[in-house]
Amino acid sequence: MDGIVKTDGVMGGQPRIDGRRISVLQIYEWVNEEGMRPETVSSEFDVSLADVHLALSYYYDNVDEMEDWRERRNARIEESESEQPSPKYA
């Protein structure tokens, strides 16, 4: 288990599992919003069960920071959607 890291230029600097492009927020959402079991996340995404629990622990120890990351992501999605050209109907 290598831990949780933040690296500028990797996933926008958000907390993630060291050596992977899997964020703490993704793991939290898979387990707590999509209902995946930690064991399933571990096997489906080839991360240790300890790392899954470490990510969940990090989330709960840093809820305000993680909600900020969620808001940033949602703002980027909304911005991207608003920049898409609308189809022209004849």
Side-chain angles (χ1 to χ4, degrees):
M1 175 170 52
D2 296 324
I4 303 298
V5 297
K6 300 177 197 177
T7 308
D8 290 337
V10 178
M11 298 185 71
Q14 71 177 291
R16 62 183 173 82
I17 296 174
D18 192 14
R20 304 298 305 271
R21 293 183 64 86
I22 299 175
S23 73
V24 167
L25 186 56
Q26 286 173 309
I27 290 176
Y28 171 82
E29 290 174 340
W30 291 330
V31 172
N32 290 290
E33 294 176 10
E34 295 183 25
M36 293 176 75
R37 296 175 41 122
E39 296 83 2
T40 303
V41 172
S42 174
S43 65
E44 290 288 321
F45 299 98
D46 193 32
V47 296
S48 73
L49 185 56
D51 279 346
V52 172
H53 286 288
L54 182 64
L56 292 171
S57 178
Y58 185 95
Y59 180 93
Y60 288 115
D61 284 343
N62 301 279
V63 172
D64 290 340
E65 174 191 4
M66 300 313 303
E67 287 305 309
D68 182 52
W69 281 110
R70 184 192 308 262
E71 289 172 13
R72 289 185 205 183
R73 180 195 60 204
N74 291 344
R76 283 192 312 269
I77 290 170
E78 287 178 17
E79 182 180 328
S80 175
E81 288 174 348
S82 70
E83 293 174 354
Q84 297 298 315
S86 59
K88 299 195 188 239
Y89 298 98

